[in-house]
């Protein structure tokens, strides 16, 4: 098994990529501390992991709240004694996120608080835990919009994911000699609740797919497999990288009909 004996903290495990990753990492032998603000759906993820023969403790955490993040790492330490993997996956794309002219400060502040400050809070408490374990792997979920401009405006989200990508590089450089690797995972457009509720008409979905050479949305499980690679020792010489898993979107100038 590829994560045998490893302890993984994953945020945003109540849905989408986080839930798929909790299931996939557990399948490969990791014990999971799954964090989410949504308590019931997160408990359901823990049940699904246990039903599949894995181990997951669900913890109710708001990543914008430093004290709640600190408490999660204390729980991880009490329950498992160590943390080897930190997957900073929780993120939001809020209704009302639009272009620079109309997007409110409230939407900008909330997006940055969750998507950027939340990652920093988890690193603040997670990096000392990884140090105590003698090193480990951090994966930060960015997005393809950190690399190319999105055709559907979402200025706060795009700014937040650019920040995630750049802070990933800095963390990688600062902590490389401690055996802590830090990489970004940049998904393309996915068929998860987050994007489907944002692209809420067939026309909007069609317009997004025009830019994807593969001509389809990605699946959460495909991101979980990419995160698994970054979490495992198979990526042992990778740090500061941006793993784009986007159906070819960022490679395309013109997509085939
Ligand atoms: P999702 O909405 O299905 O899941 C996100 C999870 O994060 C939810 O369970 C939610 O409750 C949790 N969360 C939100 N705010 C939180 C907070 N303050 N504290 C703790 N947990 C919180 O979304 P997803 O599609 O699985 O997205 C996961 C990550 O992938 C996000 O960072 C997202 O920005 C990124 N991403 C998604 C897509 C896409 O097309 N869906 C594309 C690129 C990047």
């Amino acid at each position: 098994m590829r994560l045998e004996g490893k302890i993984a903290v994953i945020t945003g495990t109540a849905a989408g990529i986080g839930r798929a990753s909790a299931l996939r990492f557990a399948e490969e032998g990791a014990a999971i501390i799954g964090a989410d603000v949504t308590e019931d759906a997160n408990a359901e993820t823990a049940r699904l992991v246990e039903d599949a023969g894995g181990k997951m403790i669900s913890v109710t955490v708001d990543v914008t709240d430093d004290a709640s993040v600190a408490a999660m790492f204390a729980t991880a330490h009490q329950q498992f004694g160590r943390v080897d993997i930190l997957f900073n996956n929780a993120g939001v794309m809020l209704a009302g996120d639009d272009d620079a002219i109309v997007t409110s400060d409230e939407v900008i502040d909330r997006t940055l608080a969750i998507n950027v400050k939340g990652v920093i809070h988890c690193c603040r408490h997670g990096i000392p835990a990884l140090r105590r374990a003698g090193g480990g792997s951090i994966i930060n979920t960015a997005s393809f919009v950190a690399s190319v401009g999105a055709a559907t405006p979402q200025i706060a989200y795009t700014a937040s994911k650019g920040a995630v990508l750049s802070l990933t590089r800095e963390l990688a450089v600062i902590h490389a000699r401690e055996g802590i690797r830090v990489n970004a995972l940049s998904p393309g457009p996915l068929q998860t609740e987050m994007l489907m509720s944002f692209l809420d008409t067939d026309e909007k979905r069609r317009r997004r797919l025009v830019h994807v050479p593969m001509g389809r949305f990605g699946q959460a499980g495909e991101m979980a497999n990419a995160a698994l690679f970054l979490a495992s020792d198979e990526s042992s010489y990778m740090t500061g990288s941006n793993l784009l898993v986007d159906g070819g979107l960022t490679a395309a100038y013109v997509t085939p009909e």
Side-chain angles (χ1 to χ4, degrees), residues 14-17 36-38 61-63 89 91 141-142 157 161 187-188 190 192:
I17 300 173
D36 207 289
V37 271
T38 312
V61 175
D62 179 348
V63 294
N89 164 75
T141 308
Y157 182 80
K161 293 303 184 178
L190 305 183
T192 63

Side-chain angles (χ1 to χ4, degrees), residues 82-159:
R82 59 187 288 138
V83 176
D84 306 287
I85 296 158
L86 168 58
F87 184 10
N88 289 313
N89 164 75
V92 290
M93 186 192 290
L94 299 178
D97 194 354
D98 204 301
D99 63 23
I101 298 151
V102 302
T103 306
S104 69
D105 278 358
E106 196 189 351
V107 165
I108 295 168
D109 289 347
R110 182 87 187 128
T111 303
L112 295 179
I114 297 171
N115 293 6
V116 183
K117 220 196 227 183
V119 173
I120 296 174
H121 287 159
C122 291
C123 288
R124 179 179 291 157
H125 300 287
I127 287 170
L130 295 184
R131 269 185 191 144
R132 286 193 294 275
S137 175
I138 299 177
I139 303 132
N140 296 325
T141 308
S143 166
F144 70 95
V145 301
S147 301
V148 293
T152 324
Q154 42 185 17
I155 196 74
Y157 182 80
T158 297

Side-chain angles (χ1 to χ4, degrees), residues 15-257:
I17 300 173
R19 176 177 280 180
S21 299
L23 283 158
R24 190 72 187 93
F25 284 25
E27 195 181 11
E28 292 293 341
I32 315 294
I33 295 99
D36 207 289
V37 271
T38 312
E39 197 170 343
D40 289 355
N42 199 28
E44 175 60 16
T45 302
R47 266 193 299 279
L48 292 169
V49 169
E50 304 274 337
D51 287 352
K55 183 156 186 56
M56 170 172 149
I57 294 171
S58 61
V59 190
T60 304
V61 175
D62 179 348
V63 294
T64 67
D65 174 14
D66 187 62
S68 112
V69 172
M72 167 179 68
F73 280 98
T75 303
H77 188 69
Q78 271 163 16
Q79 296 286 329
F80 299 114
R82 59 187 288 138
V83 176
D84 306 287
I85 296 158
L86 168 58
F87 184 10
N88 289 313
N89 164 75
V92 290
M93 186 192 290
L94 299 178
D97 194 354
D98 204 301
D99 63 23
I101 298 151
V102 302
T103 306
S104 69
D105 278 358
E106 196 189 351
V107 165
I108 295 168
D109 289 347
R110 182 87 187 128
T111 303
L112 295 179
I114 297 171
N115 293 6
V116 183
K117 220 196 227 183
V119 173
I120 296 174
H121 287 159
C122 291
C123 288
R124 179 179 291 157
H125 300 287
I127 287 170
L130 295 184
R131 269 185 191 144
R132 286 193 294 275
S137 175
I138 299 177
I139 303 132
N140 296 325
T141 308
S143 166
F144 70 95
V145 301
S147 301
V148 293
T152 324
Q154 42 185 17
I155 196 74
Y157 182 80
T158 297
S160 76
K161 293 303 184 178
V164 168
L165 187 54
S166 52
L167 71 82
T168 296
R169 293 192 187 106
E170 180 170 304
L171 287 165
V173 172
I174 298 295
H175 299 288
R177 305 247 169 149
E178 299 176 280
I180 298 174
R181 300 185 298 108
V182 192
N183 291 291
L185 170 63
S186 282
L190 305 183
Q191 199 163 15
T192 63
E193 182 56 33
M194 170 185 274
L195 189 65
M196 293 306 107
S197 55
F198 182 72
L199 303 177
D200 55 2
T201 63
D202 283 348
E203 173 54 21
K204 283 187 193 165
R205 288 177 193 184
R206 196 199 55 75
R207 207 171 146 210
R208 185 59 64 93
L209 283 180
V210 163
H211 303 279
V212 183
M214 284 190 176
R216 66 168 177 89
F217 292 105
Q219 300 295 329
E222 294 176 305
M223 303 309 120
N225 277 328
L228 171 63
F229 168 68
L230 292 175
S232 77
D233 293 340
E234 291 158 23
S235 57
S236 53
Y237 198 52
M238 272 178 82
T239 198
S241 286
N242 179 24
L243 185 56
L244 281 152
V245 187
D246 65 357
L249 188 153
T250 51
Y253 172 54
V254 175
T255 56
E257 290 300 319

